[in-house]
Amino acid sequence: MQPFSELNGLVGPLDRANIDTDAIIPKQFLKSIKRTGFGPNLFDEWRYLDHGEPGQDCSNRPINPDFVLNQPRYLGAEILLTRENFGCGSSREHAPWALLDAGFRAVIAPSFADIFYNNCFKNGILPIVLDPQQVADLFVEVNASPGYRLQVNLPEQRVTTPSGRQLYFEIDPFRKDCLLHGLDDIGLTLQQVEHIRNYEERARVATPWLFPEMQKG
């Protein structure tokens, strides 16, 4: 998993509350578990005018001109700004996969659905909870300023606006450390690889019947 420390990113605004995971990545795209390739289908039903299917070439699909993130000023956005309860609905991990594959490294909202919030940390995305009024103010600034960027500093738990205003956010220390060091569940487990090997060696001696390969010969 790619570590996250600091980001100076273009902001893409999605001014909707209660965006569920089926809107983030529709159910027909859940057949793959490769973690990559979902970016073109992020917000698929809002982004395009036709119905998308897995494996479809999205470069020739009709774009919805009314979907805000299709505006040229938001192309290449790395920070998604949205409203409360983002990521509600089903627990599909494909939702953060799609966001990450589309280039988003941070999401700012007043609140998140719990499972989606946890899945973000496991996939290198920083979910930032700010006060609803702070989020509302950011929407005003983003809409008024093409090319609006925010500086996100995870070690300092700080978001800095172009005017220099600083907004601080809370984060669990363990999740923060994992994100700073790029550690997902597998990475955390591999940190204990020597302890795991030592345990296996002791187990082979104490309970050889659990290891069929030791019975041969």
Side-chain angles (χ1 to χ4, degrees):
M1 185 177 79
Q2 185 178 354
F4 187 111
S5 180
E6 297 183 43
L7 172 66
N8 183 346
L10 178 69
V11 180
L14 191 52
D15 197 356
R16 305 188 190 198
N18 303 309
I19 296 176
D20 62 34
T21 51
D22 193 52
I24 297 171
I25 184 71
K27 58 185 178 301
Q28 66 266 29
F29 300 106
L30 305 187
K31 298 177 182 178
S32 173
I33 55 172
K34 291 194 289 188
R35 295 195 178 200
T36 58
F38 296 101
N41 301 113
L42 176 68
F43 303 122
D44 196 89
E45 294 182 358
W46 297 340
R47 187 173 175 182
Y48 303 101
L49 295 174
D50 64 349
H51 177 77
E53 290 293 343
Q56 186 177 4
D57 181 5
C58 292
S59 63
N60 296 317
R61 295 176 63 191
I63 298 294
N64 179 4
D66 295 327
F67 181 52
V68 62
L69 296 183
N70 283 339
Q71 295 180 22
R73 63 186 284 185
Y74 300 124
L75 294 181
E78 296 178 277
I79 301 172
L80 182 67
L81 178 67
T82 187
R83 298 289 185 174
E84 62 270 11
N85 199 30
F86 185 76
C88 58
S90 70
S91 61
R92 65 191 69 171
E93 197 168 1
H94 298 70
W97 293 353
L99 285 162
L100 188 65
D101 198 60
F104 289 102
R105 293 301 314 278
V107 183
I108 298 175
S111 62
F112 294 87
D114 288 343
I115 295 177
F116 174 84
Y117 185 80
N118 293 332
N119 283 339
C120 281
F121 287 102
K122 296 179 180 180
N123 290 281
I125 295 175
L126 174 61
I128 298 172
V129 176
L130 293 180
D131 180 83
Q133 186 57 56
Q134 292 176 327
V135 171
D137 292 342
L138 289 176
F139 269 107
V140 173
E141 294 176 14
V142 170
N143 292 330
S145 306
Y148 187 91
R149 305 178 73 89
L150 289 172
Q151 295 180 355
V152 177
N153 185 307
L154 177 56
E156 300 295 330
Q157 299 175 208
R158 183 181 68 235
V159 175
T160 305
T161 70
S163 67
R165 183 162 50 101
Q166 296 181 339
L167 310 173
Y168 290 89
F169 58 91
E170 298 296 325
I171 185 172
D172 176 79
F174 174 74
R175 288 170 169 161
K176 176 180 178 179
D177 186 70
C178 289
L179 200 51
L180 285 169
H181 294 92
L183 296 173
D184 56 12
D185 289 347
I186 294 175
L188 285 168
T189 301
L190 290 177
Q191 285 192 317
Q192 307 299 322
V193 66
E194 289 302 319
H195 294 290
I196 295 170
R197 287 171 179 163
N198 291 337
Y199 171 80
E200 289 178 341
E201 290 302 319
R202 293 195 303 270
R204 282 186 171 88
V205 173
T207 56
W209 58 88
L210 296 179
F211 300 87
E213 70 274 10
M214 296 184 65
Q215 308 303 314
K216 298 178 181 178

